[in-house]
Amino acid sequence: MIKGAVDLPSKHDVLLGRGKHIFQHAGNRLLHELVATYFNQYDRLPKDGKTNLADQVVRVVYGYSGRFLKFDNESGMWIEVSNLEAREKVTHRFRHNRALSLKGGSTHSSEPVVVKSSEEADGGGKRSRMMFHGS
């Protein structure tokens, strides 16, 4: 078995790839909402600030126990990607939202993202990671 290989991604994982099943995965939808939340801030930043904000978004995903996974056809498993690939996924989503905004489309999700600690989500546990409302 490949180190870091995952048979079944969790609802917090962000999947890299194409297709409806990737786009609609719960972790990807959470990423889309998070990017929509930060979009206006991201759009106003210089290039190095955009990189820093994308890194921050990656850390938030990791903070709610999410991973960035890519399917490996050879093993049939999902493999965790590098931090650089994760950041590239996030910046791609920001650029996608910018393209939508230039075309007059919506860059915001229909529901606001509410981030809470897992203490709140788990009913008083000791963890302090970030989670999205409804997860």
Side-chain angles (χ1 to χ4, degrees), residues 63-80:
Y64 63 76
S65 299
R67 299 165 292 190
F68 289 81
L69 304 173
K70 182 175 11 178
F71 190 74
D72 178 58
N73 288 320
E74 189 174 313
S75 68
M77 304 286 282
W78 290 91
I79 309 297
E80 192 164 0

Side-chain angles (χ1 to χ4, degrees), residues 9-15 25-31 60-69 121-122 129-135:
S10 81
K11 67 181 180 179
H12 300 294
D13 293 330
V14 175
L15 307 181
H25 180 71
N28 290 58
R29 289 193 321 262
L30 290 171
L31 176 64
V60 170
V61 171
Y62 290 151
Y64 63 76
S65 299
R67 299 165 292 190
F68 289 81
L69 304 173
D122 295 340
R129 60 190 159 102
M130 304 293 277
M131 296 184 74
F132 286 97
H133 178 67
S135 48

Side-chain angles (χ1 to χ4, degrees), residues 34-101:
L34 187 58
V35 166
T37 300
Y38 286 109
F39 177 74
N40 289 333
Q41 179 183 351
Y42 179 89
D43 208 35
R44 291 189 306 262
L45 290 170
K47 184 175 181 174
D48 62 333
K50 287 177 165 70
T51 300
N52 291 337
L53 184 57
D55 282 333
Q56 180 182 342
V57 170
V58 169
R59 286 191 302 273
V60 170
V61 171
Y62 290 151
Y64 63 76
S65 299
R67 299 165 292 190
F68 289 81
L69 304 173
K70 182 175 11 178
F71 190 74
D72 178 58
N73 288 320
E74 189 174 313
S75 68
M77 304 286 282
W78 290 91
I79 309 297
E80 192 164 0
V81 301
S82 69
N83 286 342
L84 177 61
E85 288 178 281
R87 185 179 72 210
E88 287 172 356
K89 171 71 173 178
V90 172
T91 57
H92 179 265
R93 190 70 215 171
F94 276 119
R95 289 191 308 272
H96 177 80
N97 279 24
R98 182 181 302 120
L100 286 177
S101 73

